Amino acid sequence: MADSKSLKWIFPFLLFAFVAPLPLAFAEDPPAQIEIVFDASGSMNEPSGGTTKLAVAKEALRSLADEISPDTQVGLRIFGKTAFADYNQSCQDSLLVMPIKAFDKEKMIAQVEAISAHGSTPLGYSLQLAAQDFSPSSETKKTIVLI
């Protein structure tokens, strides 16, 4: 059995071990921003598993939308949805259809459901623009989801 002298140094240690982590457990996560970059290029009309790549991508977005917390700020950028005759225009076919703000699940799903695939694949350009769409705050957790 431990004597009272050994318990005197153990108690402060145990108290510190159990109480010190509490502020970390209740600390708020940094605000989160998500930008979904959606591929609507012509290749999305290709078959995939008995349907099209576009149909699979739309279903992926619906599934993702079900998992996003309502307090998250979300934006939607679509690329490749316009067929341009001019190659230079097609290389810049990227449109922010929903700026990053409070998540509106129904609006996002409606935007994506209305998409038909036509254009080129300016992926790099779209990702560069997506990075600029976020808040400049270093406190904000930023995520790009490519679908």
Side-chain angles (χ1 to χ4, degrees):
M1 181 172 208
D3 63 15
S4 62
K5 287 184 181 182
S6 63
L7 289 178
K8 284 182 184 178
W9 72 267
I10 291 175
F11 181 74
F13 173 76
L14 291 175
L15 181 62
F16 178 77
F18 287 106
V19 175
L22 288 180
L24 296 176
F26 294 105
E28 290 186 30
D29 290 332
Q33 291 185 339
I34 298 172
E35 179 146 307
I36 298 170
V37 178
F38 195 91
D39 184 354
S41 64
S43 65
M44 296 299 281
N45 290 320
E46 294 174 2
S48 176
T51 186
T52 64
K53 291 178 182 179
L54 183 61
V56 172
K58 287 179 178 183
E59 180 56 36
L61 184 126
R62 285 190 296 273
S63 295
L64 175 64
D66 288 340
E67 301 299 321
I68 296 174
S69 171
D71 60 339
T72 303
Q73 295 183 343
V74 182
L76 175 64
R77 176 173 289 282
I78 301 171
F79 69 88
K81 70 179 197 142
T82 307
F84 289 103
D86 180 5
Y87 176 76
N88 290 329
Q89 284 183 307
S90 68
C91 290
Q92 296 180 351
D93 182 16
S94 182
L95 181 64
L96 182 63
V97 295
M98 291 179 64
I100 298 172
K101 60 183 181 180
F103 183 44
D104 186 340
K105 178 180 171 180
E106 289 76 26
K107 182 178 178 182
M108 179 169 289
I109 290 173
Q111 286 279 347
V112 169
E113 289 300 326
I115 293 172
S116 55
H118 298 291
S120 295
T121 312
L123 177 58
Y125 178 73
S126 297
L127 292 174
Q128 287 175 340
L129 292 178
Q132 296 170 19
D133 294 337
F134 289 103
S135 161
S137 170
S138 62
E139 299 294 317
T140 303
K141 180 180 176 184
K142 303 166 181 105
T143 304
I144 294 175
V145 178
L146 176 61
I147 298 179

